[in-house]
Amino acid sequence: MFIRKAELADASGIAKVHVDSWRTTYKGIVPDTYLDNLSYESREQVWMSGIKQNNVYIVEDEDSQIVGFASSGKERTGKYEAYVGELYAIYLLEGQQMKGLGQKLIQTVVEDLKEKKLNSMLIWALKENPACRFYERLGGKKIDTAEIEIDGKKLSEIAYGWADLADWKGRE
C-alpha cells in the first residue's frame, strides 16, 4: 500500500471510494434513498474541485487502485478557536478497513497540518458511525455535537478534537 498526495487524475478513483464506502458504512444509518442516489459522476466533480482547494491524500493498493483517501485543511466554520485544522473526510473501502491504513492516512494528514502550522485538528462524524471508536482510540476528545438532516432524517454528529498535534504519536 502506498500513500501519496492526490492529483486531478485521481478524482474518479476517489469518487468511487467515496460512494462505495458511504454505501457500506452508512447502510442502516442514512436513508437508503440517499445512498442509492449517490453517483460516481457527481462525486467526481466534487473531488475535481476538492483536490484543487484542499489537501487530499490517497491510498493505492499494489495494482495502483485507489482504496482510500483523506482530505484536510483549515477548520471550516471558524467556530472552534482551539482547533485550527480539520480532517474533512477519511474513507477506506470496506475490505481495506482494520488494516492500519486509516491510522497511516491520519498520520499523513497530521504531518501535513503541522507543516502548515495548523497544530490542532477536529473531525465531524455521524454518531452512529463505527469509526467514532477509532477516533477515540487515537486520542480524539468529544468537543461538540450537532444535528444534521440527510434526506429527511435527523442525525447526530460528534466533533472529535486533538488540541495539540505537536506530540501526536498515532496512538492505537
Side-chain angles (χ1 to χ4, degrees):
M1 297 291 175
F2 179 67
I3 296 175
R4 67 172 173 80
K5 193 157 179 118
E7 302 169 355
L8 287 177
D10 298 319
S12 175
I14 294 168
K16 183 168 179 8
V17 169
H18 195 169
V19 169
D20 292 350
S21 62
W22 261 71
R23 287 181 176 155
T24 56
T25 300
Y26 297 123
K27 181 103 178 121
I29 299 171
V30 170
D32 287 343
T33 52
Y34 183 84
L35 297 175
D36 293 343
N37 285 317
L38 292 173
S39 77
Y40 298 140
E41 296 77 21
S42 66
R43 287 285 104 188
E44 183 175 352
Q45 292 307 307
V46 167
W47 285 107
M48 290 291 285
S49 174
I51 291 168
K52 292 176 190 174
Q53 297 173 12
N54 304 309
N55 302 309
V56 181
Y57 290 91
I58 60 167
V59 179
E60 290 181 316
D61 67 11
E62 305 77 31
D63 298 321
S64 299
Q65 297 299 304
I66 297 172
V67 298
F69 71 92
S71 173
S72 66
K74 288 185 177 181
E75 193 277 321
R76 295 176 278 193
T77 69
K79 190 174 151 183
Y80 304 94
E81 288 183 21
Y83 300 93
V84 293
E86 184 173 349
L87 177 57
Y88 302 142
I90 179 168
Y91 292 104
L92 291 164
L93 293 176
E94 186 175 44
Q96 300 300 324
Q97 296 172 9
M98 308 300 284
K99 296 180 178 182
L101 295 174
Q103 184 173 337
K104 288 177 184 172
L105 261 176
I106 291 179
Q107 181 67 40
T108 301
V109 166
V110 165
E111 294 305 321
D112 185 68
L113 290 173
K114 287 176 9 181
E115 284 178 22
K116 292 173 172 53
K117 307 292 187 230
L118 301 172
N119 292 313
S120 56
M121 172 179 80
L122 63 77
I123 183 172
W124 284 95
L126 288 177
K127 182 179 179 181
E128 295 181 57
N129 184 340
C132 289
R133 291 183 300 279
F134 170 68
Y135 303 133
E136 291 168 3
R137 277 197 320 271
L138 290 177
K141 305 292 182 216
K142 292 179 185 177
I143 59 168
D144 203 359
T145 60
E147 187 173 88
I148 63 167
E149 188 173 313
I150 298 178
D151 209 26
K153 183 177 180 182
K154 291 185 186 317
L155 298 162
S156 294
E157 280 190 312
I158 300 172
Y160 290 95
W162 292 263
D164 188 0
L165 297 180
D167 62 355
W168 175 273
K169 303 277 191 265
R171 302 164 288 263
E172 231 354 278

